[in-house]
């Protein structure tokens, strides 16, 4: 059973949102379980209405790391701290999240910085979209939320990259 870990040291970098999105994508491929190890239990709150197409449960296990990083210095710095602590053979990639719209170039600038640091990074990033807040309020996955189409398109473009990452033998320690 492939395991994917969504983690990052900094708060508010879109970890819980990404966990729900990845589970929404993968639940089309087979039975999917989200293990919510977040002390604030955001994913569990989102799932409370029972409208999500997968189960959310407590506790945690780690492999195939996805580490969301919005384009800001504090998030990049916290990512660096986490990278120092991870075993060298950790299989994982950075996901650039909550990217502001053009003409702002923050998403591209962060990608350049991540490449310069040698961090594996997903080609597809996730754009900033206020539909995510509505999705949580309504307890729905993003694709079922009003105005959620753009966010869902980003996730679908990301899906082949995630499936490829999961197909690699994982060496991440738990
Ligand atoms: N692409 C996006 N566009 C706009 N808002 C977003 C996006 N992704 C997430 N958000 C919003 O950003 C906020 C933080 O997201 P989330 O709770 O997923 O972060 P987190 O890393 O799990 O935070 P914490 O460390 O507190 O657990 C939430 O209000 C969420 O709805
Ligand atoms: Mg969270």
């Amino acid at each position: 059973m492939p395991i994917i870990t969504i983690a990052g040291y900094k708060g508010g970098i879109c970890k819980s949102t990404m966990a729900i999105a990845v589970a929404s994508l993968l639940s089309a491929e087979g039975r999917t379980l989200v293990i919510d190890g977040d002390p604030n239990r955001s994913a569990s709150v989102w799932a409370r209405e029972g409208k999500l197409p997968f189960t959310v449960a407590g506790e945690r296990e780690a492999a195939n790391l996805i580490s969301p990083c919005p384009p800001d210095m504090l998030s990049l710095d916290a990512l660096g701290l986490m990278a120092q602590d991870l075993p060298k053979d950790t299989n994982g990639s950075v996901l650039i999240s909550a990217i502001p719209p053009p003409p702002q170039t923050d998403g591209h600038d962060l990608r350049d910085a991540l490449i310069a640091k040698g961090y594996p990074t997903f080609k597809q990033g996730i754009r900033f979209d206020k539909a995510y807040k509505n999705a949580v309020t309504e307890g729905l996955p993003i694709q079922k939320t009003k105005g959620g189409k753009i966010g869902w398109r980003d996730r679908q473009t990301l899906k082949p990259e995630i499936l490829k990452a999961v197909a690699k033998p994982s060496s991440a320690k738990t």
Side-chain angles (χ1 to χ4, degrees):
M1 181 190 61
I3 297 170
I4 295 176
T5 306
I6 319 269
Y9 277 5
K10 192 169 180 315
I13 59 168
C14 315
K15 299 179 295 289
S16 298
T17 306
M18 192 57 209
I20 295 292
V22 170
S24 296
L25 289 167
L26 298 186
S27 61
E29 307 297 321
R31 283 183 66 200
T32 306
L33 171 68
V34 171
I35 301 173
D36 187 5
D38 198 336
N40 59 33
R41 290 285 188 265
S42 297
S44 306
V45 171
W46 195 336
R48 207 154 44 193
E49 301 278 327
K51 297 185 209 161
L52 300 176
F54 47 82
T55 305
V56 177
E59 260 335 300
R60 63 186 189 199
E61 218 179 319
N64 291 319
L65 179 67
I66 297 175
S67 194
C69 186
D72 67 74
M73 260 315 293
L74 294 177
S75 300
L76 181 59
D77 195 74
L79 184 71
L81 291 176
M82 188 173 83
Q84 280 171 21
D85 290 347
L86 287 172
K88 287 272 171 288
D89 56 357
T90 299
N91 177 29
S93 294
V94 180
L95 176 74
I96 303 176
S97 59
I99 304 168
Q104 294 166 92
T105 59
D106 308 47
H108 292 290
D109 297 345
L110 176 58
R111 181 175 301 285
D112 290 346
L114 292 167
I115 289 167
K117 286 176 182 291
Y119 294 158
T121 304
F122 288 108
K123 285 196 186 72
Q124 177 67 34
I126 305 297
R127 285 171 276 186
F128 181 90
D129 189 341
K130 65 180 185 334
Y132 288 102
K133 290 199 173 31
N134 300 336
V136 176
T137 308
E138 293 164 18
L140 290 169
I142 187 75
Q143 71 273 25
K144 298 228 168 118
T145 305
K146 191 163 172 269
K149 286 220 168 61
I150 291 174
W152 184 236
R153 258 204 309 273
D154 286 351
R155 312 290 173 172
Q156 280 179 311
T157 313
L158 181 67
K159 185 172 176 178
E161 288 192 75
I162 293 174
L163 291 175
K164 203 168 145 199
V166 167
K168 282 188 208 159
S170 172
S171 50
K173 297 189 176 61
T174 56

